[in-house]
Structures are given as C-alpha cells and as structure tokens.
C-alpha cells in the first residue's frame, strides 16, 4: 500500500493474543518506546497491551486505567513517560512505562465550562516545549485547555464552530516543530481538517483540508501520517501536500464502522484508523477503532 517513498507492505496477522483471543475494543492510541515495544490502549479490561515488534504480547499494564483515548510517549531527562487522555476517568494522566501513575489531572472547573466531572470528555493531551500542557475536550465542549508547568489552569480556547479559530471535535493534538517556531497541531475531526494554534491559543493557519475525519497524527521527519476514521491513512509532506494514501478502504460501509468483524478484515485495508505511530525503522503501526480490536503493522519498503 502507498506509493513512491511511502510504500509499505502489510505484516499479516500482527498483534495476536494467546489462543487467538480478540484484543478487546480498540479506541485509543499507539505508542512505541526506544526498545521497540508497541503499546496499544484498549477500552477492554487489559488496559494497555504491550507487544514485541513481532506482534507477540509481552504483558498488559495500567489495567486500572482502561479506556485511555490517547497515548503519547515522551522522553524527559532520559526517562520515558506516557501522557494519556483517560476518557473513561474524565482526566488526563502521566504514566511510567510500567503503567504506574506519576500524576493525574482532572476537570478544569476554573474554565467555567463544566458543572460536574462527567461533563468533561478529554480526547488528547500533549506537553509543549515551554513546559505548558494542552488538553483537548474533544468529545465534550470542543475546548482546548492550557495548563502551566505546575499543571495550574491558564486558559481555554477554540470551542465549537466551523470558522477559523473554532473546531468541531478537537480529537487529537500534537506539537509541530517543522516551522520557525513550534505550534499546536489540532485534528479538527468533524471539520475534516488540521489546524495550527500558537501556545497562547491564537489561531495561526489551516494545515490541510478535505480529510476523512482526522483523529491523530504521527511525525516522521518533516512528513505527517494522519489517521482518518473513514478508512484511510494519508501522508502529508513538509509543505502539507498529500503524497500518499495507505489502506484506502473502497467499501464505504466499513469506513468509521466500529462493528466490522474480523472475518471481514483485509490485510492492508483499514476500517477506522484512530491511533498510529512510527517506529525507529519507519514502520507504521495503525490501530483501528474496532469492537474486536485491531492493530496493523505496515513495513516500510526501502
């Protein structure tokens, strides 16, 4: 799948559990540590599943924090940590690689946007180079909340709408360091676009439009892989032009469909890409939003 410099071959049958049991519902993210282990967030009781690169399950972690919607691996002072939006717990987390919580951050009541914690539905969290923290309430208010280095509430911005500076389901967040200064990259899912904000919450520009409900992104050099819920992964180049499409599903009935059964899956064809990550070799690991649980490994063709 793909083309040119972005051609991949599918590794069939990757990510199997013992006795061929299903992974459990995948509705979260994918992260890869420096050792090459692949972490997959699940809504099932396993929490986060940890796979070797060959797809063998090594262990499960964070069972008490099942339902992490996003999973971002960050290295800080030589140690690796996860930042996770714990949708099921109405909070965001920082976790050690063994799943032990470092801290939790609950609903920002200071924003005035919530009456109870149950009104808060965070879908993504990302730390910025200046030490600030951004959290997207993607399934709730479509607000993005900023916190300082001590996790104290600073401000909220974005909110629902179609115009510049507004979003409809701010599903995924990332820090884009490709320009002259780092910017917050937002997956504006229901507006089918990617947009930039600066760290003060000011709208900067629209990065890409006409996407199929973008959920999250992964960087590889100056290129971006975009997980699109409607059955495709798109590769954007350094100028944000589309240069390749991966796993494009021709069956519109399978796109963004949580219930596609394993018997209907086809290697190299996605149903509902939700999370993804590159490893050090450039292989791409893609998680579909699926009731049985599906993760695909795409091996980069040199």
């Amino acid at each position: 799948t793909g083309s040119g410099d972005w051609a991949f071959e599918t590794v069939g049958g990757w990510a199997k559990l013992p006795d061929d049991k299903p992974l459990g519902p995948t509705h979260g993210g994918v992260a890869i540590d420096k050792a090459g282990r692949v972490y997959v967030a699940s809504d099932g009781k396993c929490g986060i599943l940890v796979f070797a690169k060959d797809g063998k399950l090594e262990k499960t972690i964070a069972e008490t924090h099942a339902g992490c919607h996003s999973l971002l691996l960050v290295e800080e002072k030589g140690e690796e940590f996860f930042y996770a939006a714990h949708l099921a717990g109405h909070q965001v987390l920082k976790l050690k690689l063994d799943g032990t919580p470092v801290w939790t951050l609950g609903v920002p009541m200071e924003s005035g946007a919530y009456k109870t914690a149950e009104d808060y539905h965070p879908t993504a969290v990302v730390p910025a180079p200046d030490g600030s923290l951004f959290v997207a309430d993607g399934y709730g208010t479509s607000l993005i909340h900023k916190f300082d280095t001590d996790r104290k509430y600073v401000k909220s911005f974005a909110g629902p709408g179609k115009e510049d500076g507004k979003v409809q389901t701010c599903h995924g967040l990332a820090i884009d360091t490709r320009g002259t200064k780092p910017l917050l990259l937002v997956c504006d899912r229901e507006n089918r676009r990617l947009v930039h904000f600066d760290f003060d919450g000011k709208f900067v520009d629209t990065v890409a439009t006409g996407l199929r409900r973008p959920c999250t992104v992964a960087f590889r050099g100056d290129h971006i892989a975009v997980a699109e819920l409607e059955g495709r992964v798109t590769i954007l180049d350094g100028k944000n032009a589309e240069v390749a499409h991966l796993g494009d599903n021709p069956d519109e009935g399978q796109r963004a469909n949580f219930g596609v059964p394993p018997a209907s899956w086809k290697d190299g064809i996605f149903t509902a890409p939700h999370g993804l990550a590159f490893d050090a070799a450039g292989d791409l690991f893609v998680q579909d939003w699926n009731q049985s649980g599906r993760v695909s490994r795409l091996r980069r063709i040199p």
Side-chain angles (χ1 to χ4, degrees):
T1 187
S3 58
D5 292 337
W6 296 93
F8 297 81
E9 58 184 4
T10 304
V11 179
W14 197 86
K16 293 288 188 181
L17 296 189
D19 301 322
D20 288 328
K21 294 180 180 178
L23 301 184
T26 43
H27 180 208
V30 180
I32 302 172
D33 68 14
K34 289 191 296 184
R37 289 182 290 263
V38 182
Y39 299 78
V40 178
S42 168
D43 281 351
K45 61 182 180 180
C46 291
I48 298 172
L49 303 108
V50 186
F51 295 94
K53 189 168 182 176
D54 63 4
K56 181 180 179 180
L57 181 70
E58 291 190 352
K59 58 184 176 180
T60 61
I61 61 172
E63 290 87 352
T64 57
H65 292 101
C68 284
H69 184 270
S70 68
L71 199 62
L72 176 67
L73 194 143
V74 176
E75 184 175 347
E76 297 174 347
K77 298 180 180 179
E79 186 174 358
E80 294 176 286
F81 298 96
F82 295 116
Y83 284 78
H86 187 213
L87 183 63
H90 306 282
Q91 61 186 345
V92 296
L93 313 166
K94 183 178 180 180
L95 305 170
K96 295 182 178 181
L97 286 193
D98 64 1
T100 304
V102 178
W103 51 251
T104 63
L105 180 61
V107 56
M109 298 300 292
E110 305 95 322
S111 67
Y114 310 100
K115 294 182 178 179
T116 69
E118 285 69 32
D119 298 326
Y120 183 47
H121 304 282
T123 53
V125 55
V126 64
D130 66 359
S132 55
L133 189 72
F134 294 93
V135 180
D137 183 18
Y139 288 162
T141 61
S142 281
L143 287 170
I144 300 171
H145 304 295
K146 179 180 179 179
F147 302 84
D148 67 15
T149 55
D150 297 317
R151 300 189 302 282
K152 302 297 184 182
Y153 173 79
V154 176
K155 64 166 57 176
S156 303
F157 57 95
K162 297 182 179 180
E163 64 269 31
D164 290 349
K166 299 296 183 180
V167 297
Q168 296 279 23
T169 308
C170 43
H171 194 279
L173 300 177
I175 301 299
D176 191 345
T177 60
R178 299 174 300 162
T180 56
K181 67 175 184 178
L183 295 170
L184 183 67
L185 181 66
V186 181
C187 295
D188 184 4
R189 194 182 73 179
E190 298 312 308
N191 284 327
R192 299 175 175 268
R193 64 189 180 189
L194 304 180
V195 294
H196 277 146
F197 289 85
D198 68 18
F199 292 167
D200 290 323
K202 296 178 181 178
F203 175 80
V204 176
D205 60 9
T206 297
V207 177
T209 60
L211 299 171
R212 293 187 190 165
R213 302 175 71 193
C215 287
T216 192
V217 301
F219 287 90
R220 177 76 177 173
D222 63 352
H223 285 63
I224 308 175
V226 185
E228 297 168 283
L229 196 65
E230 292 178 340
R232 187 178 72 176
V233 171
T234 289
I235 306 293
L236 304 179
D237 67 11
K239 297 182 179 179
N240 301 311
E242 297 183 12
V243 294
H245 297 294
L246 313 179
D248 194 349
N249 196 324
D251 184 348
E252 293 189 11
Q254 288 192 350
R255 297 178 188 174
N257 185 341
F258 184 63
V260 178
S264 298
W265 299 348
K266 295 180 180 178
D267 286 344
I269 300 295
F270 301 125
T271 58
H274 190 276
L276 78 176
F278 285 106
D279 72 2
D283 290 1
L284 186 62
F285 295 77
V286 180
Q287 174 208 61
D288 278 310
W289 175 59
N290 185 270
Q291 65 180 0
S292 299
R294 188 186 189 204
V295 183
S296 301
R297 176 186 171 192
L298 303 183
R299 182 186 291 123
R300 184 83 174 267
I301 298 174

